[in-house]
């Protein structure tokens, strides 16, 4: 059972371009969470998704950011018109179907650099 | 709004020492608390998960305790080794489902 897979591991984008970050949860997990980690800061929650549904996007910036978790395929975090301040490590976590009491497993992250 | 605080922010100890990392949270209505380890430039590795109904969990040289009523958890590391050097993160899961993280304690174990 492979762990949570994120790709790419490193992504460089010029200001104004789009960034697409992918996350494949562990097998059997239908809950996905995205977090952002800025240098020397803790992980900040962005969005919580189940298959085809956004459950909580309270941590997501209102503009330029979107996330999806389709019925088939990985979850995608999309950042449009990237700016230097978007440079960070983006982590994805997954949990099994039972919410609440279950353990979360994290991927290795995607390190986005905006130049 | 749930807030998680970890003290100290950084800790340096000689090899072989036992040490305690602290985590506190403001809202005691949690489902569970999870301790993670993060190495520089890497992802998070889950160390221990404590359910809200539990008082402690143990794995090898690690022991985590939870006092939900006072909003505190500790991670005890016995006989520390240089390989334990990393940032240790505490996170609580509330009713919303997502994890709320502290900023971590950066541990350095000197040979």
């Amino acid at each position: 059972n492979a762990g949570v897979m994120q790709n790419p591991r490193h992504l460089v984008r010029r200001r104004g371009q789009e960034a697409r970050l992918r996350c494949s949860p562990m097998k059997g997990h239908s809950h996905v969470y995205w977090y952002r980690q800025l240098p020397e800061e803790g992980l900040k929650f962005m969005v919580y998704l189940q298959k085809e549904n956004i459950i909580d996007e309270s941590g997501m910036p209102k503009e330029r950011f979107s996330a999806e978790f389709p019925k088939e395929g990985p979850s995608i975090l999309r950042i449009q018109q990237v700016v230097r301040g978007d440079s960070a490590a983006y982590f994805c976590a997954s949990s099994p179907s039972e919410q609440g009491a279950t353990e979360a497993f994290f991927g290795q992250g995607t390190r986005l650099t905006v130049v | 709004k749930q807030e998680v605080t970890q003290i100290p922010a950084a800790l340096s100890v000689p090899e072989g020492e036992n040490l305690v990392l602290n985590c506190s949270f403001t809202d005691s209505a949690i489902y569970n608390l999870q301790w993670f380890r993060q190495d520089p430039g890497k992802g998070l590795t889950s160390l221990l998960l404590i359910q809200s109904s539990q008082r402690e969990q143990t794995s090898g040289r690690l022991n985590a305790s939870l006092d939900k009523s006072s909003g505190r958890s500790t991670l005890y590391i016995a006989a520390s080794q240089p390989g334990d050097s990393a940032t240790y993160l505490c996170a609580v899961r509330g009713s919303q489902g997502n994890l709320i993280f502290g900023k971590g304690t950066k541990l350095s174990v000197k040979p």
Side-chain angles (χ1 to χ4, degrees):
Chain A
N1 187 5
V4 178
M5 304 300 292
Q6 290 188 249
N7 67 83
R9 292 290 306 277
H10 300 274
L11 182 62
V12 180
R13 283 287 177 267
R14 297 185 192 280
R15 280 178 294 170
Q17 290 185 319
E18 177 179 288
R20 279 182 173 245
L21 288 62
R22 294 174 185 77
C23 169
S24 295
M26 287 181 70
K27 187 176 181 181
H29 288 194
S30 58
H31 295 221
V32 165
Y33 311 81
W34 285 93
Y35 293 81
R36 177 164 62 176
Q37 186 176 40
L38 293 166
E40 305 303 322
E41 295 204 10
L43 278 84
K44 299 295 184 186
F45 167 73
M46 298 182 74
V47 62
Y48 164 31
L49 311 105
Q50 293 180 27
K51 286 282 187 181
E52 300 184 278
N53 285 305
I54 296 175
I55 306 302
D56 181 357
E57 56 182 348
S58 59
M60 194 94 102
K62 293 290 187 283
E63 298 178 351
R64 301 187 298 107
F65 285 72
S66 63
E68 63 176 6
F69 188 16
K71 187 177 180 181
E72 301 290 337
S75 174
I76 306 286
L77 179 67
R78 182 181 177 207
I79 311 172
Q80 295 178 291
Q81 299 176 311
V82 296
V83 301
R84 288 247 171 90
D86 296 333
S87 295
Y90 292 83
F91 290 96
C92 165
S94 73
S95 287
S97 300
E98 302 83 25
Q99 178 183 329
T102 56
E103 189 171 4
F105 296 89
F106 279 75
Q108 292 295 302
T110 293
R111 278 147 187 87
L112 172 66
T113 302
V114 179
V115 297
Chain B
K1 180 187 171 186
Q2 178 74 272
E3 291 183 4
V4 180
T5 304
Q6 290 188 247
I7 295 173
L11 181 63
S12 181
V13 300
E15 182 177 4
E17 270 204 10
N18 303 325
L19 57 101
V20 174
L21 308 181
N22 297 292
C23 172
S24 61
F25 47 95
T26 54
D27 185 352
S28 62
I30 63 170
Y31 280 121
N32 59 43
L33 183 145
Q34 206 167 342
W35 282 93
F36 295 88
R37 168 188 173 136
Q38 185 177 28
D39 293 281
K42 303 290 187 184
L44 279 70
T45 300
S46 180
L47 297 173
L48 289 164
L49 170 73
I50 310 179
Q51 304 295 354
S52 61
S53 58
Q54 296 176 321
R55 299 284 289 185
E56 66 177 334
Q57 281 287 339
T58 298
S59 176
R61 293 183 294 108
L62 305 180
N63 176 278
S65 68
L66 174 63
D67 184 343
K68 204 174 79 160
S69 60
S70 67
R72 295 180 190 276
S73 175
T74 60
L75 179 66
Y76 175 83
I77 303 177
S80 58
Q81 303 170 357
D84 295 331
S85 298
T87 296
Y88 290 80
L89 297 164
C90 164
V92 298
R93 185 191 290 262
S95 57
Q96 305 92 330
N98 57 289
L99 287 166
I100 305 296
F101 281 85
K103 289 190 176 182
T105 294
K106 188 173 183 179
L107 173 66
S108 176
V109 181
K110 306 293 186 186

